[in-house]
Structures are given as structure tokens and as C-alpha cells.
Amino acid sequence: MDGTKPAMESNAEETQDEGQESKGCFECCIKCLGGVPYASLVATILCFSGVALFCGCGHVALTGTLTMLENHFSRVTSDHATLAMVIQIFQYIIYGIASFFFVYAIILLAEGFYTTSAIKKELQSDFKTTVCGRCITAFFMFLTYILALVFLTIFGFTAIPVFLFFNMWNTCAAMRSPDANITSPDSICVDVRQYGIISWNATPGKACGATLGDICNTSEFYLSYHLYIVAFAGAGATVIALIHYLMILSANWAYLKSAVSTHEYQDIKTKDDQDLEAEARSKEGQNSSSYS
């Protein structure tokens, strides 16, 4: 019986130590999770998704559009040479957009981590933000505002190919519809020259009747049309992400400014309290000397 008591005590101590370790790990996890800027994380995921959809789908859709034009609307290379050059420039711009936003989103996420920890330490009076830190937040806020306007413009321009392909899609759907009652399908045409995509001298420049129906059934048209829609949605998601970033940066800047004002008030109050305390002590010293 006496031998079992030390064993029971050692087991109890081990259980207690394990409980303390698990509690310490749990508190550490909660502390780490509390320092995660969830708003910035959501905005970063949305930005990555939007830019990936816009850049990936837009690049493939532009290639498919050029192939479709070369096969059906402009068989002479010189007639669409300018368009081919513009598409190639747009594809290079897409490469730059993808690279830039990948780096910029990571920088904004890191800034979110920094600001979240700085605000918490400010509230605990363990840390004071610097003017440089607040200026960096203001700079990112201004840059994000400019990028939001730029991508809003890109979002608007992305709607143009969606509109053009939608018109072709509706025309082909009307030709295939049994309720359309079209007596001469060859009179229904789509002339891409009127949109300024290719020159007026391009041959054939337009597609009518059965030829137009065959174009709508090609994989280039079907894939490019749906990829433009996805790229349009991706551009919209990127605009939403940038607006989300802008709200986060504005809130962080306001919190930092408020924390600085609070610290300045506390410093002034502490200094006044110290002055009052020193004055009270001097009066007490004078009174004690007069009594003596």
C-alpha cells in the first residue's frame, strides 16, 4: 500500500504537467490566431483569385480570338497585323499585371500583420507607432486607390469583347431557333469590320448564314466567349478586393492615428500628475519645516 502512494502522486504530477502544457499550447494558438488580420487575408485570397482568372482566361481568350479572326474573317495577314500586335502587347501587360499583383497582395497582407500587431501593442502600452509606419500605411492607401481606379477601367474594357461575342451568340441562336421563321438565313450577317477590330479592306470581313453558324460551333468561339466571361468576373473580383484593401488600410490608418492621440494624451496626463505630485511633496516639506 505504501508503495502505491508515490506512484499515484507521480501520475498525478505528470497529468498536471500535461494539462499545463496543453493549456499553454492552447493559449499560444489563440494568441497566434488573434494576431491574424482576417480581413486582409480574405482580401488577399479574393485578389489572387480575381487576378488569376482575369490573367489566365484573358490570355487564352485573346489567343482564341486571333485564331478565329485569322480563320474566318481576315485571311490576309497584313489586314490584321495591327490587331495581332495589340493582342501581343495585351498579353505582355497581362504577364506584368499577374506578377505585380502577386507581389503587391503579399505586401499588403504583411502590412496587415504589422498593423494588427502594432495596434494590439499600442492598446497594451507596450509599443508606439512611428511616423514612418503611418506614412507607409497612407502611401499604400493612396496606391491602392489608384490601382482600384485602373482596374475599374480594365473591368469596363473587359465588357467589350463579352458584348461582341454575346451579339454573335444571340445571332446564331436566333438562326437556329425554330420559332425565328427566317426565310433567307444568308441575309443575317456579322460584320466585325464595323467594330474597328480589323481594317475595312479585310476579306471576307463578315460571315453570313451557314458560315456564321459554323463559326459559332467552333471550339475557338465557344471557348473564347466563356473565357471572356470568366475574365470579366475575375476583373470584377479584383476590383472588389482592392476596395476591400482600401477600407482595411483606411481603418488601420485611423486606428494608428487614434492610438497616437491616445498616447499623447496619456503622456500629458502622466506629466501633469507627476508635476502635481511634486508640488504636493514640496508643500508638505515646507509645512514640516515651518512646524519644526
Side-chain angles (χ1 to χ4, degrees), residues 194-212:
Q194 64 182 339
Y195 300 115
I197 299 175
I198 56 178
S199 64
W200 282 103
N201 299 325
T203 54
K206 64 179 181 179
C208 304
T211 304
L212 178 60

Side-chain angles (χ1 to χ4, degrees), residues 34-46:
V36 175
Y38 293 101
S40 296
L41 187 62
V42 171
T44 301
I45 294 173
L46 185 61

Side-chain angles (χ1 to χ4, degrees), residues 82-102:
T82 304
L83 177 64
M85 183 181 64
V86 170
I87 288 178
Q88 188 176 12
I89 292 173
F90 280 162
Q91 288 177 336
Y92 283 124
I93 292 174
I94 285 173
Y95 296 146
I97 289 174
S99 303
F100 173 79
F101 273 92
F102 177 78

